[in-house]
Amino acid sequence: MRPQAAGAHERSTMPRLAFFATGTWQASSWERIVDASPIVPHQQKPGRRGRFSVFVKELTPRARRRLLKHFIALSPDDRLLRFGSIVSDEVITRYVENIDFSRDKVFGVHDRRLRLMGVGHLAFAMRGPAQVAEFGVSVAAAARGMGVGSALFERAAIHCRNAGVDTLYMQCLSSNKVMMHIAKKAGMEIHRDYGEADAHLKILPADPGSVMHEAWQEQAATLDYTVKANLRMLRIWLDHIVARLRGKDEQ
């Protein structure tokens, strides 16, 4: 159970959690269909600035290419926060290739171009008779301050509840104020030692409400992804049509 790059330095038996606040076309009278903003700007509550609806979708093995792009794009400082050391591209590649989607859960937040703006890796293990999980999360710089990290954590927590997990663990640097805020907000018990912080949360048993809530979240995220994918294909098709028209005009 290690949502951590193979070869990264490990100081505990649990994988490190880290959080960091790590299509446009235009032609004549055509209107812009898809812009370059990172998150779909559905405001949750009018009048509240910077609050967006963040749709968290469960990822499958088909997402490995986008996962690799997301992690490779991380800066050295961001890699340190996410993996516990400044890992190389080769180590990240092995990490992505070795993610076991049949055992673990991986969640993602996509932008309008279907790029992964945030990724959460939920790894499971047994500790005695109890099942536990640890969550690792990364957020692209373009999506900072939009609640992506909190949304990923909330999705992981509700899945743990419905999967019968006893305790959810997280690890981060004590100086990581954003992650510490999320842990405190969730009511996690936090222990600090030698510049690192370990947090854990006892998970409540599942009930019909929690099961329905997770199902609704996944359906909403799937619908959001489908709309973005269709708009992306429409933009590509329109770009192709515009290019052909311009080619004819030049002839």
Side-chain angles (χ1 to χ4, degrees):
M1 180 183 71
R2 300 186 181 279
Q4 186 176 31
H9 178 62
E10 299 172 357
R11 297 187 59 180
S12 71
T13 59
M14 298 292 290
R16 172 182 301 276
L17 167 84
F19 175 91
F20 56 89
T22 82
T24 306
W25 67 276
Q26 184 177 4
S28 62
S29 61
W30 289 103
E31 294 182 353
R32 187 174 67 176
I33 300 299
V34 180
D35 63 28
S37 57
I39 306 298
V40 178
H42 301 304
Q43 290 193 353
Q44 293 176 331
K45 294 184 179 180
R48 294 187 63 182
R49 297 180 60 187
R51 297 294 299 172
F52 300 92
S53 296
V54 180
F55 297 98
V56 180
K57 186 178 185 299
E58 183 176 337
L59 303 181
T60 68
R62 296 180 61 184
R64 289 190 197 273
R65 181 175 59 85
R66 289 194 175 108
L67 285 167
L68 183 60
K69 287 185 176 181
H70 170 80
F71 289 120
I72 291 293
L74 302 181
S75 68
D77 288 342
D78 291 339
R79 296 184 186 194
L80 173 63
L81 289 172
R82 173 57 181 86
F83 297 109
S85 63
I86 303 177
V87 296
S88 66
D89 290 353
E90 290 75 16
V91 172
I92 289 177
T93 300
R94 290 199 300 270
Y95 161 66
V96 173
E97 290 174 349
N98 291 327
I99 294 176
D100 187 350
F101 288 87
S102 66
R103 180 195 62 195
D104 300 343
K105 293 294 180 181
V106 183
F107 303 104
V109 174
H110 297 86
D111 71 355
R112 292 180 185 271
R113 296 180 181 179
L114 302 184
R115 297 172 300 186
L116 283 169
M117 292 289 100
V119 174
H121 184 176
L122 188 63
F124 299 94
M126 297 299 297
R127 283 192 172 179
Q131 184 181 33
V132 300
E134 183 159 352
F135 190 59
V137 60
S138 56
V139 178
R144 292 174 181 172
M146 296 183 178
V148 175
S150 295
L152 286 164
F153 172 79
E154 291 168 4
R155 180 63 190 277
I158 194 70
H159 181 80
C160 285
R161 183 176 181 182
N162 294 330
V165 171
D166 179 77
T167 308
L168 174 61
Y169 290 90
M170 299 192 303
Q171 289 181 316
C172 67
L173 298 176
S174 297
S175 59
N176 194 330
K177 295 181 180 180
V178 177
M179 194 63 247
M180 295 298 290
H181 172 73
I182 292 176
K184 291 178 181 179
K185 183 179 178 181
M188 303 187 79
E189 185 174 343
I190 303 171
H191 299 280
R192 295 179 176 85
D193 187 25
Y194 299 106
E196 294 189 350
D198 296 320
H200 68 271
L201 178 69
K202 298 294 289 184
I203 302 297
L204 295 174
D207 60 26
S210 67
V211 174
M212 288 296 296
H213 183 63
E214 184 180 13
W216 177 88
Q217 284 184 327
E218 183 60 25
Q219 289 180 0
T222 299
L223 176 61
D224 174 70
Y225 182 90
T226 302
V227 170
K228 290 174 180 175
N230 288 336
L231 286 175
R232 181 172 179 268
M233 292 302 298
L234 175 61
R235 178 176 60 83
I236 293 172
W237 178 75
L238 290 175
D239 283 344
H240 179 68
I241 295 298
V242 170
R244 291 184 61 183
L245 292 175
R246 285 178 175 174
K248 290 181 179 181
D249 291 341
E250 291 176 357
Q251 293 176 358

